[in-house]
Amino acid sequence: MRFTSLIVSTAFGFVWGGCVPQVTFAAPILTEPYLDVVPRTEAEMARIKSATRPTTDFSKPEPFEQNSAGKATTRARSDHDAFSQSSESLSFEQELDFKLGNGLFKKLWVSSPSSTLASDGLGPLYNARSCQRCHLKDGRGHTPEGADDSRVSMFLRLSVPTPAQTPMTEIETYLAALDGDAVTARTSPEPTYGGQLQDFAIQGHAAEAQMDLQYTERAVALSGGETASLRVPTYSMRDAGYGAFADDVQISPRVAPQMIGLGLIEAIPVADILVRADADDADGDGISGRAQVVWSQEFKQPILGRFGWKAGHGTVIEQSADAFAGDIGISSPLAQRPYGDCTETQNSCRKAVHGDGDVRVDEVDAQGLDLVAFYSRNLAVPERRDVSSPEVLRGKEMFYAAGCTSCHTPKYVTHRLASQDNTAQSFQLIWPYSDFLLHDLGFGLADGRPELRATGTEWRTPPLWGIGLTEQVSGHTQFLHDGRARSLLEAILWHGGEAQNARDTVADMPPDDRTALIQFLESL
């Protein structure tokens, strides 16, 4: 990536390791208004630079490598609750808040009107009745297996191209200043069905439609005479409840991601993420990570996108509020839509009885939303297993040699936070294995659906911590944004675009080295 050695003012307004990236656009500074940050000293910057330097010694584990989340790491468990533990450093009072948030996360919402005035407001259209229904045991969702299997932890995002004459939103105006002529195609919710397909409805209302999914198999040759088979998905929608879909509808399948380590991701300095962005591939390494930028409803300004398959949210609490509204139909102070994702065309849904009114302004109030966000921020990352194993260390070397760390950045040090509410996230050496940037992964994984700066072929690099516990927690080994990969190897083989060289290196390496690489991933 290209840098200058001069300390100059940039549009992003940051300095990292004594260097700043060359930035040619004029746009507002990206900040973290949701964090109370203590500035780093020069001595701390030197320590951080040393601690986060990529390793070249694969003969032994790195210092503190076993504790993927610093002091927020929890002890490894052998049951389904490995992702449902709180950060070890929470106080007694914070542990109580964590448990209350967990209760709200599991809470089953009911339709209005109801005698349970604190729990009504479901829908009228929805994808799940609780957060836990999608993020079962705080792990990954799954694809439907068989005609009768539930689609609860998977749905389709919907959009259409925005008509050219439509006025730009605040974030679109910002992105136009940021990217100029290269601005991503603008999209809007599907006129009738909104931003996502909701396959459930309360009594008296029709569900929007049902998602259908079919696979075909494609063989892939590997070194050593080995082969793999990739399942290629085809998506369709049937039983439309509100008329025809727009001819130019864009769909994107999404499986619920795992929940661990979110507060730590939120505490990574903006500068440490943006410094890895190289939109024009100035260094010629074939990797062109771009930062997603989103609008903060809470702070009324653009912020860095960090969460979601295309980094469509910048904070845990706004991600939570949007999920309440879109997935369950529950309004909150940050998403005051008691009808959820219902559009103006779905008139009966808009006019239905909702859970807001005289008893409470929003269906989940500010305190409840804060508790759910606190719970989500403090779900601990389990400690690594087998970090000293020679086979795992060999696999780690293969991971680096293949170039996987070009996007899956191993480690960061989080902000030093002034608030005592964030002690678990403050100044921790963490190992998420992600740069949290958007990358073009090729047409094989493309959904063709732009989202803010993300094109139809771009996805945020997902963090890898905890990935080896997926089967233990979630009961399956399905990966990628739509769960098409049935193993970690299949997930690698689906990579294209910027990751094509890394993918080909893994496919061509000696089988024993490839096996070791998978064992390294399973240790995360």
Side-chain angles (χ1 to χ4, degrees):
M1 300 172 189
R2 183 176 55 172
F3 302 98
T4 68
S5 59
L6 300 175
I7 299 178
V8 297
S9 175
T10 73
F12 283 139
F14 63 81
V15 177
W16 184 87
C19 299
V20 293
Q22 292 185 351
V23 181
T24 58
F25 53 83
I29 294 172
L30 289 179
T31 61
E32 299 132 323
Y34 44 87
L35 294 178
D36 186 6
V37 174
V38 178
R40 293 172 170 179
T41 66
E42 289 188 11
E44 287 175 339
M45 289 295 293
R47 287 172 54 202
I48 291 167
K49 188 174 182 180
S50 176
T52 57
R53 183 178 292 116
T55 188
T56 57
D57 181 2
F58 301 97
S59 65
K60 61 183 184 298
E62 297 175 68
F64 313 112
E65 186 174 6
Q66 183 171 349
N67 293 331
S68 297
K71 68 180 180 181
T73 308
T74 191
R75 289 172 294 176
R77 297 171 61 106
S78 58
D79 59 19
H80 295 308
D81 293 323
F83 288 173
S84 299
Q85 307 306 304
S86 62
S87 300
E88 296 283 348
S89 56
L90 294 186
S91 67
F92 178 81
E93 291 78 9
Q94 289 174 324
E95 186 67 31
L96 179 58
D97 286 342
F98 180 85
K99 293 183 183 302
L100 289 171
N102 186 18
L104 289 170
F105 194 81
K106 295 179 178 179
K107 178 179 183 176
L108 291 175
W109 294 85
V110 299
S111 59
S112 300
S114 169
S115 59
T116 57
L117 295 179
S119 299
D120 67 334
L122 175 68
L125 307 177
Y126 62 96
N127 294 104
R129 290 183 58 198
S130 73
C131 307
Q132 178 82 347
R133 287 289 179 93
C134 291
H135 305 276
L136 186 62
K137 292 294 182 180
D138 305 295
R140 296 173 185 269
H142 68 281
T143 62
E145 299 291 344
D148 297 327
D149 194 15
S150 170
R151 273 92 166 141
V152 168
S153 59
M154 183 181 188
F155 65 78
L156 296 176
R157 290 272 186 219
L158 304 175
S159 61
V160 295
T162 301
Q165 68 273 18
T166 305
M168 289 195 294
T169 64
E170 297 98 327
I171 190 60
E172 288 173 339
T173 301
Y174 175 88
L175 294 178
L178 185 70
D179 295 326
D181 293 338
V183 66
T184 300
R186 298 163 62 200
T187 62
S188 302
E190 205 280 345
T192 300
Y193 290 91
Q196 64 193 64
L197 186 72
Q198 288 152 333
D199 51 0
F200 292 102
I202 64 173
Q203 186 174 5
H205 295 263
E208 290 189 320
Q210 302 300 311
M211 175 189 74
D212 274 345
L213 171 58
Q214 294 182 332
Y215 295 105
T216 57
E217 295 286 336
R218 176 161 62 87
V220 177
L222 305 173
S223 63
E226 296 183 350
T227 60
S229 183
L230 304 183
R231 57 178 188 175
V232 182
T234 300
Y235 296 92
S236 60
M237 298 176 288
R238 59 176 170 82
D239 301 332
Y242 298 87
F245 289 87
D247 292 337
D248 53 356
V249 64
Q250 303 159 328
I251 67 172
S252 180
R254 305 291 175 89
V255 167
Q258 64 187 31
M259 296 287 295
I260 57 175
L262 301 185
L264 293 162
I265 295 171
E266 192 176 56
I268 297 172
V270 165
D272 293 356
I273 294 175
L274 295 182
V275 76
R276 293 175 169 83
D278 186 19
D280 298 321
D281 191 20
D283 62 0
D285 66 352
I287 306 299
S288 307
R290 299 195 305 145
Q292 178 66 289
V293 183
V294 302
W295 185 257
S296 170
Q297 183 63 27
E298 183 176 10
F299 297 99
K300 310 300 181 186
Q301 68 179 67
I303 59 176
L304 178 69
R306 303 172 188 244
F307 304 104
W309 289 109
K310 294 204 176 193
H313 292 90
T315 65
V316 173
I317 196 167
E318 293 198 53
Q319 170 84 54
S320 302
D322 191 63
F324 265 124
D327 301 350
I328 314 177
I330 297 298
S331 64
S332 70
L334 293 180
Q336 293 183 313
R337 307 190 306 272
Y339 46 80
D341 191 47
C342 297
T343 66
E344 292 182 1
T345 303
Q346 295 165 328
N347 189 49
S348 63
C349 177
R350 287 282 185 112
K351 291 185 175 181
V353 178
H354 303 297
D356 59 347
D358 296 335
V359 176
R360 62 194 196 277
V361 175
D362 298 302
E363 291 165 332
V364 60
D365 61 15
Q367 184 180 29
L369 184 62
D370 284 343
L371 286 169
V372 170
F374 185 84
Y375 171 75
S376 300
R377 287 191 184 103
N378 287 285
L379 283 164
V381 180
E383 65 183 349
R384 287 274 306 278
R385 287 87 49 216
D386 304 321
V387 292
S388 300
S389 162
E391 191 75 358
V392 167
L393 290 169
R394 175 64 175 162
K396 179 181 175 182
E397 184 177 7
M398 294 300 98
F399 187 82
Y400 277 65
C404 301
T405 57
S406 295
C407 300
H408 290 283
T409 304
K411 47 190 171 176
Y412 298 84
V413 173
T414 60
H415 270 304
R416 188 182 295 281
L417 304 174
S419 172
Q420 293 301 306
D421 293 334
N422 303 107
T423 54
Q425 289 86 42
S426 181
F427 210 60
Q428 298 300 302
L429 174 63
I430 62 173
W431 307 70
Y433 284 92
S434 173
D435 61 7
F436 302 101
L437 298 174
L438 300 171
H439 291 278
D440 184 343
L441 293 185
F443 290 103
L445 286 177
D447 64 353
R449 180 182 180 272
E451 185 174 325
L452 299 175
R453 291 190 90 195
T455 69
T457 61
E458 286 182 319
W459 300 94
R460 180 203 68 156
T461 306
L464 298 181
W465 51 14
I467 198 167
L469 294 173
T470 298
E471 184 171 18
Q472 175 183 313
V473 172
S474 301
H476 63 75
T477 55
Q478 297 180 359
F479 303 103
L480 300 177
H481 66 281
D482 58 358
R484 69 177 69 185
R486 294 162 294 191
S487 68
L488 291 170
L489 178 59
E490 285 187 30
I492 294 169
L493 295 175
W494 270 109
H495 283 52
E498 296 174 45
Q500 186 70 47
N501 288 339
R503 176 259 180 224
D504 291 347
T505 299
V506 173
D508 294 340
M509 66 177 48
D512 288 348
D513 289 344
R514 191 164 52 240
T515 298
L517 188 152
I518 298 301
Q519 286 191 241
F520 164 69
L521 293 175
E522 290 173 344
S523 78
L524 295 178

